């Protein structure tokens, strides 16, 4: 029999006191004085109209390796994906101490009958990861403990967590979200979602948040699917590729880690080989044919082409090409008069 919603709310609110929430988030967010904003986007009041979406299935081999490492460490795959997202956020925000939002289920600490209460109870709370001072293994252990603590506080208001930080009142605590979802392998997603209700057909569904960057990880029990929603100018397909590349890097680091050589989370590459080649090699392919002439000859050609263009600027002073050429010639004549030759 369904439990009335008012009873669920009462149980949730009475479970943990506001003072306990404040103490926990004050400790978690101590010293956080700037927002963590991937790609520099700070607007968390959008309406989703400029958001694009991309999807990517995690490679089956990588999914199997990720689950194996989760089993080896005694953690959930969700824990590993939180570490993966922390590394992506660090790489795209230029910070090594990052905060992002994690979507909580909302029913884990709601008491008896929570599974029989109809409604949507999700909440979003901050996760903090010091990516610059931790090995991958320690990051996983720390994330496991932090997510367990967050479950205790899963009904705390986000505004309370925001107030526990050192941010100014109008600055967002974070601008990216991670939503880890469990899903039946045959249930589909998006427009293909099967509600499983006789006589009910789903015609259209569309998910959006006000945050500029959201990644959803769908766990089917065997594989994983990535869905990224990103506000312009972020390319959601590129973010999918980043998450996939970092997931591979985190898993590889865990496979290769040893007590004598701990793997550093900051050393996990955020780019796949194709993207890395594109940025470092293709974008930097600036080779140009240069005439086989001397530097003085190149300089003379420039003087003749644009004599009034700035040639040198230093401490507020400026010389045109014509002025620099005149000074060079005076110096040359002085040197020749004193016996200096080629």
């Amino acid at each position: 029999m369904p439990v009335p919603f008012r009873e669920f709310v009462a149980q949730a609110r009475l479970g943990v006191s506001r003072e306990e929430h404040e103490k926990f988030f004050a400790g978690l967010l101590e010293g956080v004085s700037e927002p963590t904003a991937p790609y520099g986007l700070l607007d968390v009041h959008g309406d989703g109209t400029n958001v694009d979406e991309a999807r990517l299935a995690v490679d089956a081999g990588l999914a199997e390796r990720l689950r194996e490492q989760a089993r080896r460490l005694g953690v959930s795959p969700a824990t590993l994906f939180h570490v993966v997202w922390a590394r992506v956020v660090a790489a795209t925000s230029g910070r090594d101490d990052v905060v992002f939002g994690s979507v909580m289920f909302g029913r884990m600490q709601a008491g008896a009958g929570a599974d029989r209460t109809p409604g949507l109870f999700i909440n979003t709370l901050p996760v903090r990861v010091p990516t610059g001072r931790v090995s991958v293994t320690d990051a996983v252990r720390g994330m496991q403990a932090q997510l367990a603590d967050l479950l205790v506080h899963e009904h705390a208001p986000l505004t309370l967590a925001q107030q526990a930080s050192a941010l100014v009142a109008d600055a967002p605590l974070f601008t990216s979200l991670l939503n880890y979802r469990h899903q039946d392998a045959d249930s589909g997603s998006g427009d293909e979602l099967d509600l499983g209700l006789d006589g009910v057909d789903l015609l259209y569904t569309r998910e959006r948040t006000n945050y500029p960057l959201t990644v959803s990880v769908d766990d089917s029990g065997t594989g994983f699917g990535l869905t990224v929603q990103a506000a312009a100018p972020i390319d959601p397909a590129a973010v999918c590729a980043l998450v996939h590349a970092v997931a591979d890097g985190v898993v590889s680091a865990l496979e290769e880690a040893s007590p004598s050589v701990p793997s550093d989370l900051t050393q996990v590459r955020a780019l796949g080989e194709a993207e890395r080649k594109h940025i470092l090699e293709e974008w930097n392919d600036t080779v140009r044919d240069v005439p086989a002439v001397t530097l003085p000859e190149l300089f003379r050609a420039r003087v003749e082409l644009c004599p009034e263009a700035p040639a040198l600027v230093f401490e507020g002073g400026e010389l045109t090409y014509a002025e620099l050429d005149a000074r060079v010639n005076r110096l040359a004549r002085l040197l020749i008069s004193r016996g200096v030759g080629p």
Side-chain angles (χ1 to χ4, degrees), residues 122-206:
I122 61 173
N123 190 20
T124 301
L125 292 176
V127 171
R128 183 182 186 183
V129 185
T131 64
R133 307 186 301 273
V134 67
S135 70
V136 176
T137 302
D138 288 343
V140 171
R141 296 297 186 197
M143 184 61 70
Q144 180 187 33
Q146 186 174 162
L147 291 178
D149 289 339
L150 280 178
L151 282 179
V152 177
H153 300 274
E154 67 173 345
H155 298 116
L158 179 57
T159 53
L160 182 151
Q162 171 94 8
Q163 293 165 4
S165 71
L167 287 159
V168 296
D170 58 345
L173 184 57
F174 50 80
T175 64
S176 69
L177 302 181
L178 173 64
N179 187 11
Y180 192 92
R181 310 182 291 200
H182 292 275
Q183 174 179 297
D184 292 336
D186 58 354
S187 67
S189 61
D191 294 340
E192 300 175 354
L193 182 65
D194 181 6
L195 296 178
L197 300 174
D198 293 337
V200 178
D201 294 326
L202 180 66
L203 299 181
Y204 178 74
T205 181
R206 182 173 183 262

Side-chain angles (χ1 to χ4, degrees), residues 330-341:
R330 286 200 299 273
L331 177 60
R333 287 193 293 271
L334 174 63
L335 294 174
I336 291 172
S337 70
R338 297 188 178 182
V340 177

